[in-house]
Amino acid sequence: MEPAAPSGPGAADVRDHEVADTRRAAGGAGGIRGGPDTAPWDVLWTDVHLATMRPEGEPYGALRDGALAVRDGRIAWLGSRSELPGTPTALSREVRYADGAWMTPGLIDCHTHLIFGGERSGEFELRLQGATYEQIARAGGGILSTVRTTRQASEEDLLESARRRIQCLRAEGVTTVEVKSGYGLTVESEVRMLRVARRLGREEPLDIQTTFLGAHAVPPGWDGRSAAYVDLIVEEMLPRVVEEGLADAADAFLEDIAFTADQVSRVLSAAREMGLATRLHADQLEDG
């Protein structure tokens, strides 16, 4: 396993003590004893099972009763605890005892819609009764329902609700998250969503990649004018988003209830010309 820099506090970098006790080697449970100042490692995790992801051996490259050392924010050593080249406190300034917990690489959630107002629990009940996603959307629910509540929410409300969702992901070991806009569908509301995503990236200890999804749906008031709305995306939304440095990528929804192939191509081509990576929502409701 090639040593790599952990990107957040879950899994491979377990700074928050969420999966392990720490205790003083000489002072009982509840503390941390530091090694000598000249020790080569900053932190040593021991009494831990490691999912190394090595292709050989046990599934997930499992290494039981292992140890993992960190120096300058990077994995400096890992292996069986019995193979440590010295006593833990002689090797590291800080020793943490995992009491047999598992340590895994950080998880990546590559597609999320974390920032939105309101909720759609009523639609879940409709789905249980047999309604399809498309039927709900054409009746004014789905994306457009959330667009209405998101437009009404303040930036602070969007931030705090998204923060709670981010923290739930973090508690499950996620260290990298992609966050899309797409529930504003006006210049200002899309910018506001992406601004919230950037704030989360600064304020929460995860890596957050932001994606502009102005082409998520034809917004209320634009029925029959999807081509004109695409003009707005290309000529006003994308330039503003790029100018303010709010997005790492752009996305678009290719479906009968959203945008045509030509419209999606226009949006994503413009995004690439402006230096953004591109993604695509497609084949959600039908193949091809």
Side-chain angles (χ1 to χ4, degrees), residues 8 21 76 204:
D21 273 340
E204 295 294 324

Side-chain angles (χ1 to χ4, degrees):
M1 180 177 180
E2 184 70 17
S7 58
D13 177 13
V14 206
R15 288 177 296 220
D16 284 338
H17 311 193
E18 289 160 340
V19 297
D21 273 340
T22 56
R23 60 177 178 261
R24 293 190 184 279
I32 300 172
R33 177 181 178 180
D37 290 341
T38 57
W41 297 331
D42 299 323
V43 183
L44 172 66
W45 289 89
T46 186
D47 190 17
V48 63
H49 303 315
L50 303 170
T52 68
M53 298 301 162
R54 288 173 172 147
E56 67 276 1
E58 293 191 43
Y60 307 108
L63 176 62
R64 298 176 186 274
D65 193 15
L68 182 145
V70 175
R71 180 171 54 219
D72 297 330
R74 298 182 68 87
I75 296 172
W77 187 94
L78 64 81
S80 297
R81 179 167 56 161
S82 62
E83 296 175 350
L84 281 168
T87 62
T89 52
L91 293 169
S92 180
R93 297 181 179 86
E94 184 178 308
V95 179
R96 300 183 182 181
Y97 297 85
D99 293 336
W102 279 91
M103 185 179 292
T104 74
L107 304 178
I108 298 171
D109 196 327
C110 61
H111 181 133
T112 78
H113 298 267
L114 279 171
I115 300 170
F116 60 88
E119 50 87 21
R120 301 205 310 251
S121 57
E123 293 180 12
F124 181 73
E125 181 67 23
L126 292 175
R127 294 295 295 274
L128 292 177
Q129 294 172 7
T132 67
Y133 181 98
E134 184 172 359
Q135 288 170 338
I136 292 170
R138 292 194 184 280
I143 294 169
L144 295 184
S145 172
T146 301
V147 167
R148 289 189 288 270
T149 52
T150 301
R151 287 179 176 181
Q152 295 167 1
S154 70
E155 185 168 323
E156 289 302 316
D157 287 342
L158 293 174
L159 177 69
E160 292 311 313
S161 61
R163 192 191 307 279
R164 291 192 294 271
R165 298 174 193 121
I166 281 280
Q167 290 171 347
C168 288
L169 290 175
R170 181 182 165 208
E172 295 174 349
V174 174
T175 59
T176 301
V177 183
E178 186 254 19
V179 178
K180 299 181 188 293
S181 66
Y183 286 128
L185 309 186
T186 65
V187 176
E188 293 305 324
S189 56
E190 286 292 300
V191 164
R192 185 172 68 217
M193 289 186 70
L194 291 168
R195 190 182 297 125
V196 166
R198 286 294 198 219
R199 285 185 63 184
L200 286 170
R202 293 192 299 269
E203 296 173 11
E204 295 294 324
L206 294 88
D207 286 340
I208 293 181
Q209 298 292 305
T210 59
T211 297
F212 167 65
L213 182 54
H216 198 192
V218 179
W222 291 80
D223 294 344
R225 297 192 297 135
S226 61
Y229 178 64
V230 170
D231 289 342
L232 179 70
I233 292 172
V234 171
E235 296 169 10
E236 296 186 39
M237 287 189 185
L238 270 168
R240 173 82 176 274
V241 165
V242 170
E243 180 184 0
E244 296 192 22
L246 296 176
D248 303 301
D251 196 347
F253 192 13
L254 174 58
E255 286 288 354
D256 285 344
I257 62 171
F259 299 93
T260 68
D262 287 344
Q263 290 169 338
V264 165
S265 178
R266 185 178 175 212
V267 170
L268 299 185
S269 294
R272 283 193 295 270
E273 289 173 3
M274 297 182 198
L276 298 181
T278 53
R279 316 192 195 288
L280 179 65
H281 276 60
D283 293 338
Q284 179 175 338
L285 305 181
E286 59 185 39
D287 293 334

